[in-house]
Amino acid sequence: MSTTRRTVLSGALAAPLLARFAGSAAGATPNDDDKWGTISDGWVEIRWTPQAQAQLDRFEATVEAIAPARLVKDSQGVALRFPLRSGTGDPSPADLPQAQGNGLLDGGVTVRTPTVQLQVTSLNGTLQDGQAFGTCVVNGVDVGMRSVFRCGLDEGALAADPAPPGRPLTLRLSGAPLRPSGEALEAFTSAFGEAAFTADTVLAHVTAEGRYTPPKQ
């Protein structure tokens, strides 16, 4: 398998890990935007669907978590849970599809096929206008990706613990669907032929929780 095909395969299999509860606005950094707060004491869980599992089966792929991330198996299926190392952003509880920011996850994932092993770490994801993208390290090589997934934030459920205005509060987003972006679908088709999924296919659901501290006024 060529280096190009291995890189694309890494994206096809590991892309769901790049979507997350908070992402970043393109061209901005947290220090440049005093409207952003911080997210701490959090985690992100990616639960893939039978459609995504079918693609893993197509490649005879197995998935293993790299600590402190862990694999979760229960009656609902299989998921990967990552601790949130750091995050900044605006979760926009009153208008969830407008959420933006950035975040870095701890741990990683290993994907094994009969012909290649991919170790994906340093997952640093972003979200803007419902589009998920970011960077990661695949087998020691930095990989940057454009739009990978469309995150249906308005289709998830948001819960917040009561807190006075301007004070930290715990937020939990549950079951937001992830669908492949046009760029991801095009890259997959170019490398492997016609995909068994479309831009409307839900490949995973994301659930995330964190303590949000608003910016100082």
Side-chain angles (χ1 to χ4, degrees):
M1 181 179 291
S2 69
T3 301
T4 299
R5 287 177 63 85
R6 289 184 183 184
T7 300
V8 173
L9 176 58
S10 73
L13 298 181
L17 309 178
L18 302 177
R20 66 205 53 218
F21 171 54
S24 72
T29 65
N31 293 331
D32 294 332
D33 192 338
D34 59 8
K35 296 182 180 179
W36 285 8
T38 60
I39 303 172
S40 59
D41 301 325
W43 50 266
V44 176
E45 184 176 284
I46 305 297
R47 184 175 297 275
W48 54 91
T49 63
Q51 290 86 347
Q53 184 62 52
Q55 292 302 313
L56 292 170
D57 293 342
R58 173 183 172 185
F59 295 115
E60 300 180 57
T62 59
V63 178
E64 301 172 4
I66 299 174
R70 61 188 179 92
L71 204 62
V72 177
K73 296 182 179 180
D74 54 31
S75 60
Q76 297 180 336
V78 183
L80 278 163
R81 180 175 289 201
F82 301 86
L84 176 68
R85 181 182 302 177
S86 62
T88 59
D90 175 12
S92 189
D95 189 6
L96 194 55
Q98 298 303 313
Q100 59 180 336
N102 63 15
L104 178 64
L105 299 184
D106 272 330
V109 58
T110 297
V111 180
R112 304 178 193 274
T113 76
T115 57
V116 66
Q117 174 176 305
L118 301 167
Q119 188 176 75
V120 184
T121 57
S122 300
L123 295 160
N124 192 353
T126 66
L127 180 70
Q128 181 186 18
D129 298 329
Q131 298 287 323
F133 52 100
T135 64
C136 60
V137 174
V138 180
N139 292 351
V141 178
D142 289 334
V143 176
M145 299 183 187
R146 297 183 63 82
S147 175
V148 176
F149 273 90
R150 294 178 292 116
C151 187
L153 295 175
D154 56 341
E155 299 176 65
L158 181 68
D161 291 344
R167 301 296 297 171
L169 72 161
T170 299
L171 297 170
R172 181 184 177 97
L173 174 68
S174 302
L178 304 178
R179 299 178 176 90
S181 68
E183 291 91 336
L185 189 59
E186 181 180 350
F188 188 99
T189 302
S190 176
F192 304 111
E194 185 176 358
F197 55 89
T198 70
D200 294 323
T201 302
V202 176
L203 293 180
H205 292 88
V206 60
T207 294
E209 183 176 298
R211 184 171 178 81
Y212 174 67
T213 302
K216 295 180 179 180
Q217 300 297 323

